[in-house]
Amino acid sequence: MPPPLIILLFFLLFPHERALTHAANGEWELLQPSIGISAMHMQLLFSDRALIFDRTDFGPSNISLPSGRCRRDPNDTALPIDCTAHSVEYTPASNSVRPLMLLTDTWCSSAALLPNGTLLQTGGYNDGDRAARLYSPCSGDAASCDWQEINPALAKRRWYATNHILPDGGVIIVGGRRQFSYEFYPRRTTAEMPRSLPFLIQTNDPKVENNLYPFVFLNVDGNLFIFANNRAILFDYVRGVVVKNYPTIPGGDPRNYPSSGSAVLLPLNSNSGAQVLVCGGAPTGAYVSANNGKFVTALDTCGRIRIDDQNPQWAMETMPGPRVMGDMVLLPNGDVLIINGARSGTAGWELSRDPVLTPVTYRPDNPVGSRFEVQSSSSTPRMYHSTAVLLRDGRVLVGGSNPHTYYNFTGVLFPTDLTLEAFSPSYLNSSYASMRPQIISPVSQSKVSYKQPLVVGFTVPSGQIDNGSVMVTMVAPPFATHSFSMNQRLLVLGQGNVTVSGNSSQIRVVSPDSGNLAPPGYYLLFVVHRNIPSEGIWVQIN
């Protein structure tokens, strides 16, 4: 049985000693032995706090709501009166957790940050499948922040959908189980209805689907790259027109839920067009096999494609090992961290085996054959319903893993996991301290316009600067769930062009030229020197 809830609530609200695992290729740190919930969904906010939540329909969690608050839902057969929290806010600076109150079921939902930094969170299951939830970081007393819900808010049920912020600051919601359409939030007119997306019908495998949580990326031309199952389109969502059909990924295996590979839009800069990388997943037939007790080895391939080419083709690469349900995190220096997941099976209740404990770094600019590097292993399996997001200090926050219908801590292969860890990539190793830049201007929370010249001031402890290796990057903090980080993008604003004045240096760059390249909202800005990033600062593009 879980520990008493009141004791756990007290335990979680205060900092804990942190256990470190040191190694050459990154470092693992246990932050919390329990945050009270399993981290199915995760989002970093401009307040430097991480919003984490699970689902509400499985019974009690392991953390109580404060002040005797309870959620009352007579239609909830698991727990009509629930006095436990299914969402928490984690503060890295104090290593503490604060419980939050969700009213409707967020199971397998989706989200995007609005331009003002509020998280718009939509859909889910049962009473939550048409809900919209808003979470706004507080500027003052954080204890006053909590979820606000609008229900119903959506025109259609959205379960396993994908959200993406648009150049005008609105949000598009694409797909979902048995929903072959898309809609906007807020609606552009009061009479606006969802629009059909036949591509989602065409990519739907009978009885398996394999096109849920489609991989959606905003291209630099303002259209959407949408990957579902094993192929993709470039889609003009305004006119409802397919602009381009891309070839099927070689091998033809599915990459979306429940086959659950992952995907990322590679760093954008002035020298290269937009490229998408799709990695891992489960081969054709793996879902049916897993339901019959046979766990097929996951895919070990990645497909990379230049989506703006006139004749785009997939270039295939091989990872160091197979992986399904992995997460892909853009690091400040432009590398991609591939983390979490399993070697066999597929997403779903009890449908995977052989946890992959070793992350892998992918370096997009290296020659083919030398792009992957194995990192230090964790000791904690992160299977179905795990997440990972980048923090402002360059660490990666990692949590979740619950392949069970309910919280199950004993007598199973992979118990429900309530821990929270941080993975520190090798660039945070103390041996690089003399090369690590520190931003001194502009100040964090600065507002930036499009096409605005920026002078970024920084220092390097050693005073020895390799001018050609200095660059400024800007990262959009994504919403992570089910092996996909929605709205994740990294822009390289400039490289070189460094001037030195006394003990400090400056690099001159220009902010993105439009919302097609960087939709309005909050971004983390970093200075990178010799592949070592500074701590980030928050900037808001208006």
Side-chain angles (χ1 to χ4, degrees), residues 10-350:
F10 178 84
F11 185 63
L12 289 164
L13 288 174
F14 296 95
H16 301 284
E17 294 183 3
R18 308 181 188 186
L20 298 176
T21 301
H22 298 276
N25 287 350
E27 180 180 277
W28 284 93
E29 179 181 9
L30 177 63
L31 300 174
Q32 287 274 358
S34 171
I35 59 171
I37 66 169
S38 191
M40 184 188 294
H41 314 81
M42 193 183 293
Q43 171 76 58
L44 180 67
L45 305 169
F46 72 83
S47 61
D48 280 336
R49 298 183 176 97
L51 192 59
I52 303 171
F53 54 98
D54 196 356
R55 42 189 272 246
T56 65
D57 65 344
F58 64 87
S61 73
N62 278 32
I63 180 170
S64 296
L65 286 164
S67 307
R69 299 176 71 192
C70 298
R71 182 177 66 92
R72 290 172 169 80
D73 183 357
N75 297 317
D76 188 334
T77 57
L79 199 63
I81 300 177
D82 186 357
C83 302
T84 63
H86 300 279
S87 175
V88 299
E89 185 183 61
Y90 173 71
T91 303
S94 60
N95 192 34
S96 60
V97 172
R98 184 173 67 87
L100 303 172
M101 187 170 186
L102 284 167
L103 297 177
T104 55
D105 196 358
T106 51
W107 182 17
C108 302
S109 51
S110 49
L113 286 173
L114 298 177
N116 66 355
T118 293
L119 184 69
L120 168 69
Q121 207 280 319
T122 58
Y125 188 61
N126 282 344
D127 62 349
D129 59 13
R130 293 180 59 202
R133 307 167 195 86
L134 300 169
Y135 188 88
S136 299
C138 297
S139 57
D141 179 16
S144 63
C145 297
D146 214 329
W147 289 99
Q148 305 295 318
E149 303 201 21
I150 306 167
N151 193 21
L154 307 180
K156 293 288 187 180
R157 301 172 65 241
R158 299 292 174 184
W159 192 27
Y160 299 93
T162 297
N163 292 15
H164 205 297
I165 183 76
L166 297 173
D168 65 1
V171 173
I172 189 170
I173 307 166
V174 180
R177 176 157 285 169
R178 293 181 289 276
Q179 300 299 339
F180 311 111
S181 64
Y182 64 99
E183 62 181 288
F184 300 100
Y185 190 92
R187 297 184 190 184
R188 301 187 170 198
T189 66
T190 54
E192 183 178 63
M193 296 301 293
R195 304 183 189 185
S196 175
L197 185 52
F199 174 68
L200 294 178
I201 299 174
Q202 299 159 11
T203 54
N204 181 53
D205 289 344
K207 299 183 180 180
V208 180
E209 297 167 301
N210 277 331
N211 68 346
L212 300 180
Y213 281 124
F215 304 145
V216 179
F217 301 106
L218 178 66
N219 191 23
V220 295
D221 64 1
N223 295 313
L224 294 176
F225 176 89
I226 304 176
F227 184 103
N229 197 318
N230 58 11
R231 54 196 183 276
I233 58 173
L234 190 64
F235 186 63
D236 181 339
Y237 61 87
V238 177
R239 296 186 298 141
V241 173
V242 175
V243 177
K244 184 183 296 184
N245 285 285
Y246 296 91
T248 299
I249 194 167
D253 291 301
R255 305 284 181 152
N256 292 86
Y257 186 92
S259 290
S260 293
S262 191
V264 68
L265 180 68
L266 292 176
L268 296 167
N269 58 53
S270 58
N271 300 322
S272 63
Q275 299 183 67
V276 168
L277 182 71
V278 179
C279 288
T284 302
Y287 182 79
V288 174
S289 294
N291 275 279
N292 291 322
K294 298 175 68 176
F295 301 95
V296 179
T297 300
L299 300 170
D300 64 357
T301 55
C302 295
R304 179 168 169 170
I305 192 167
R306 293 181 178 271
I307 65 179
D308 287 331
D309 280 3
Q310 289 200 348
N311 182 30
Q313 298 295 322
W314 291 98
M316 302 305 291
E317 302 180 50
T318 302
M319 295 188 291
R323 191 184 301 254
V324 62
M325 300 180 298
D327 287 278
M328 298 175 76
V329 181
L330 283 170
L331 300 178
N333 60 4
D335 292 346
V336 181
L337 182 70
I338 307 173
I339 196 168
N340 299 337
R343 293 183 184 276
S344 61
T346 182
W349 305 129
E350 323 289 347

Side-chain angles (χ1 to χ4, degrees), residues 380-403:
T380 304
R382 299 288 180 188
M383 306 292 276
Y384 186 40
H385 291 149
S386 299
T387 47
V389 298
L390 177 70
L391 295 177
R392 187 172 62 86
D393 61 12
R395 293 179 299 165
V396 175
L397 190 65
V398 183
S401 189
N402 184 25

